[in-house]
Amino acid sequence: MPITRPALKLTHEGALKALNGALAKATELGVPQNITIVDEGGNLLAYVRMDGAKLLSRETSMSKAVTAASHRQPSSRLNPKDEVKLSLAAGQRLTNLEGGLPIIIDGQCLGAIGVGSGKGAEDVEVARAGLAAIGAEDQIP
Amino acid sequence: MPITRPALKLTHEGALKALNGALAKATELGVPQNITIVDEGGNLLAYVRMDGAKLLSRETSMSKAVTAASHRQPSSRLNPKDEVKLSLAAGQRLTNLEGGLPIIIDGQCLGAIGVGSGKGAEDVEVARAGLAAIGAEDQIP
Amino acid sequence: MPITRPALKLTHEGALKALNGALAKATELGVPQNITIVDEGGNLLAYVRMDGAKLLSRETSMSKAVTAASHRQPSSRLNPKDEVKLSLAAGQRLTNLEGGLPIIIDGQCLGAIGVGSGKGAEDVEVARAGLAAIGAEDQIP
Amino acid sequence: MPITRPALKLTHEGALKALNGALAKATELGVPQNITIVDEGGNLLAYVRMDGAKLLSRETSMSKAVTAASHRQPSSRLNPKDEVKLSLAAGQRLTNLEGGLPIIIDGQCLGAIGVGSGKGAEDVEVARAGLAAIGAEDQIP
């Protein structure tokens, strides 16, 4: 078995393009948002808090993004009856809230986008616009 | 689009006036309280712990205030079925406890008051007295 | 004495304009950077980590930004003999590293920019480009 | 040997009187300050952040107050060569910065006042005004 494997990484240009795509959609909807892009290691790549967005939703947008990057699936696919104990056992970043979507390109997870401050469906719509802006696979939560 | 926008800030005189208004009401009720005033960024502006108030309620009063400032609404308006996962995903400051009210003046949120140590309804009554002392919009939780 | 005072806030458009100005300068210099914009309360407004930037410099860029916003001056103006005890007493966000500059517009501090991953002088040059992009007062550290 | 001993506690009225005395002095000096009053257990009793005070000095004012209450002496009496290792070993609240003074009444330490945002001498002057307002023993740092 080889000791290395090739991988794809999101560039900062890619991250900002996704951020701006999400921002444009949030502006169009008139819903101020926190928009967070993380890499596949859950480390912050890009972020913006829009005028009027809820301050504490910075953390929920980060939790959503880290969850989606970790699990390589939308942040809302845990069994609701397990969501609290999973969050606690995982150090609280793991969340079942809607609005975190993995960034899948060429079948690989390069990171995730997390959106927080609107209603769940708005957060998802804004996150999907971020994915569309960079041609990542669409994710249905 | 402009790079700046005008805003109103609470002065420390305003913060202390709200604090003293809440303190007077708590004294009248005979309910010792922790009273916390934060600015719109969730940073502490003024605080008092009354004789006999519960020590740990300093933290609940802070969480209530930060939640109300962040969400620009009373701290008790989350859907109860989501309150635990929201709090965990937001780093625990987000709370659905009663007793945090935003300070709205001229239609802007300038911060919040959080009260903790009494029963929920007492905390709210004391917080509303704080708002009344500075002519802020009354808030029904 | 009034209970409110007028203030200026940075919009997210302003924050992103400063971020992009700093990013362009870092690209021109060929120095990958972490670029952090905070508001006057030290809360994150916008962020990017460039390809190749040091991961831990996300935190130094944040500390530089929070210090500059808190003290309304460049992050490198503490007396070196006090810098360690000040940082410890302030919970470690207070830093004397170069690369944090306040965002002063119309004589008011609206927040700050913190840059970290290059040499001190490079971090400062990138931060100054961020200020220039939004017409904020130039800051000599 | 008895199993209990009588003690004096500062009331919240006493804490607010000290706070207001310090506030009046800071206003007179034209130096915006963070003013923190803690009890003999190092727990927050009262606090105000004046308009224009440095945000991070909230934490230094708290560290100064906790240090003075703990050691029952001004916060600036450690041997400078030990101050960093003492701070680290004590979890960072222990500081040798000027501006923290114990509240001594009838020979007992009832808590402390910590002041931060000005120059060291200004912080001390404001803290002493807080002591004077409640007839506590003057402290020369």
Side-chain angles (χ1 to χ4, degrees), chain B residues 5 7 17 25 48 55-56 63 68 76-77 79-80 87 99 118 122:
Chain B
R5 60 190 164 93
K17 209 166 176 180
K25 174 58 75 177
V48 70
L55 194 63
L56 289 174
S63 295
S76 47
R77 290 207 181 149
N79 187 330
S87 177
E122 292 165 340

Side-chain angles (χ1 to χ4, degrees), chain B residues 22 33-36 61 64 98-100 113-117 122-123 126-127:
Chain B
Q33 295 279 20
N34 290 267
I35 304 167
T36 297
S61 74
K64 293 170 185 183
E98 282 186 300
I113 181 168
V115 177
S117 192
E122 292 165 340
D123 297 351
V126 169

Side-chain angles (χ1 to χ4, degrees), chain A residues 90-109:
Chain A
Q92 300 187 212
R93 275 295 182 212
L94 183 52
T95 183
N96 210 19
L97 291 168
E98 283 186 299
L101 298 178
I103 298 172
I104 311 278
I105 294 180
D106 291 348
Q108 292 182 50
C109 179

Side-chain angles (χ1 to χ4, degrees), chain C residues 41 70-72 85 88-89 92, chain D residues 52 55-56 59 63 83 92:
Chain C
S70 163
H71 283 41
R72 300 180 195 89
K85 78 176 141 183
L88 290 168
Q92 298 187 212
Chain D
L55 196 63
L56 288 174
E59 291 306 314
S63 296
E83 68 190 19
Q92 299 187 214

